[in-house]
Amino acid sequence: PGSVWEFQNFLRRIIDRKDLNDFSIVCPCLPGYGFSDSPVVEGYNVVAMAGTMQRLMKRLGYERYIVQAGDWGSIVAQSMAYLDPTPVIGLHLNFFSVSPTPGHFLPERLEIKFRDDEDSRSRARKGGDL
C-alpha cells in the first residue's frame, strides 16, 4: 500500500503557498500501515478503518471534509462516504474499486467477526467502535 511519505513533496509545496491558507490537510496513515500501529481488535477491516478515520476527523474538529485516497485507502474512503455521507462533502479516488451494489460495504456483506449482538453491528455501520 501507499504511504503518507509519498505526499511529502506535494504537502510541502502546499504548506509554502501563502494563497492557500483557507483549508487544512490531514494526512493520516491507515491503522496498520505506514507509521501506524496495527489494530489489535479481531475483525478490524475497511468498515472499522472508515469508522476510525471518521472519528479522527471529528476529534480534530472537522464537521465537513473532502476525502482523497488511493490504493487500499480508496476502499476505506468509499466506506467513509457510504457509511456516513453527512461530513463527506467530496470524494476523490486515484484508485477505484467497482462494486456490484452500494450495500457491499455493509458488515454482513464483508463477513466480519463482530461481537454477537445487533448493537455492535449497528455501531459499526455508524462508524463506531466494534
Side-chain angles (χ1 to χ4, degrees), residues 21-100:
N21 58 3
D22 291 342
F23 64 91
S24 301
I25 297 175
V26 177
C27 200
C29 291
L30 292 175
Y33 295 91
F35 302 108
S36 176
D37 289 335
S38 294
V40 293
V41 177
E42 182 180 339
Y44 196 85
N45 53 41
V46 295
V47 174
M49 281 189 192
T52 297
M53 294 295 114
Q54 287 173 325
R55 285 190 306 281
L56 170 67
M57 296 305 288
K58 187 173 184 174
R59 288 178 184 166
L60 291 174
Y62 296 99
E63 295 177 14
R64 299 172 359 133
Y65 45 86
I66 297 170
V67 180
Q68 190 285 326
D71 202 71
W72 183 244
S74 69
I75 300 167
V76 175
Q78 289 177 66
S79 298
M80 290 174 70
Y82 182 76
L83 292 171
D84 186 7
T86 304
V88 181
I89 61 172
L91 176 64
H92 175 267
L93 306 173
N94 57 322
F95 176 86
F96 187 73
S97 64
V98 178
S99 164

Side-chain angles (χ1 to χ4, degrees), residues 1-11 27 35 70-71 94:
S3 167
V4 160
W5 193 253
E6 295 173 33
F7 298 100
Q8 180 186 7
N9 291 332
F10 170 75
L11 293 172
C27 200
F35 302 108
D71 202 71
N94 57 322

